[in-house]
Amino acid sequence: QYSVLSKEMINAYKKTNYEVFTEQPFTLNIDIFSERLSLIYKENSVETACFITAYNPFSEKLTLEDNKAFQEKLLQNIIHSGNQFFEGIGVDPKGEWEGEPSFLILGISKEEAIEKGKQFKQNALVWCNKNCIPQLILLR
């Protein structure tokens, strides 16, 4: 699929560790089956999830205050939608960029996930369907 994002940026997203803060924290990695996610699906009777942040819209580095304000809006949006969710953080394994606080939203449709990603001006999000293999979805 065509994207305005650079190959470097797309590769950075693919290499990111998407850490989820459940009772036993775990990490999602693009294109790698997550045993832990499958258990969370069973525990919560869902078959989908999306890992998303509102930090740094379109990869423009914002102040911490602005990022926190956007993240709070996303949190209120998720609470309003009624979906179960966990907090998390997207972390660069090389430590070249700061981690971005995120949410793993359970039981969300792919369409809703993409809509949220676009609403919060994100370049990409992580989509997980019932096969529990996280996929990178480019939004631009």
Side-chain angles (χ1 to χ4, degrees):
Q1 100 198 47
Y2 173 78
S3 174
V4 299
L5 308 177
S6 70
K7 278 195 171 63
E8 293 76 25
M9 184 174 279
I10 293 168
N11 285 334
Y13 288 139
K14 286 182 177 172
K15 289 187 175 93
T16 296
N17 290 327
Y18 299 97
E19 298 177 6
V20 184
F21 305 144
T22 55
E23 270 177 48
Q24 298 167 318
F26 69 102
T27 302
L28 295 172
N29 295 101
I30 300 300
D31 297 334
I32 298 173
F33 172 77
S34 172
E35 181 69 47
R36 190 78 186 87
L37 184 62
S38 72
L39 293 172
I40 283 176
Y41 278 5
K42 284 187 189 95
E43 287 166 12
N44 293 279
S45 306
V46 297
E47 291 189 330
T48 60
C50 144
F51 192 94
I52 189 171
T53 185
Y55 264 54
N56 302 321
F58 296 149
S59 292
E60 296 293 322
K61 202 149 173 42
L62 298 183
T63 65
L64 186 58
E65 292 76 33
D66 285 346
N67 276 326
K68 281 184 169 173
F70 281 125
Q71 194 71 353
E72 180 61 27
K73 278 191 185 133
L74 174 57
L75 174 60
Q76 293 309 319
N77 179 300
I78 297 166
I79 290 169
H80 182 74
S81 70
N83 293 73
Q84 172 78 27
F85 67 94
F86 296 101
E87 292 188 27
I89 189 167
V91 178
D92 174 8
K94 288 190 185 136
E96 288 171 11
W97 47 266
E98 227 172 290
E100 294 182 339
S102 304
F103 299 105
L104 180 73
I105 308 171
L106 302 181
I108 186 172
S109 73
K110 190 173 186 178
E111 295 71 29
E112 285 175 286
I114 289 169
E115 200 177 295
K116 272 195 209 317
K118 289 183 172 174
Q119 183 182 344
F120 287 91
K121 297 182 167 62
Q122 294 300 302
N123 288 330
L125 57 79
V126 177
W127 170 250
C128 308
N129 63 18
K130 61 177 172 251
N131 69 11
C132 298
I133 300 171
Q135 304 169 296
L136 185 66
I137 294 189
L138 303 177
L139 302 174
R140 304 177 63 204

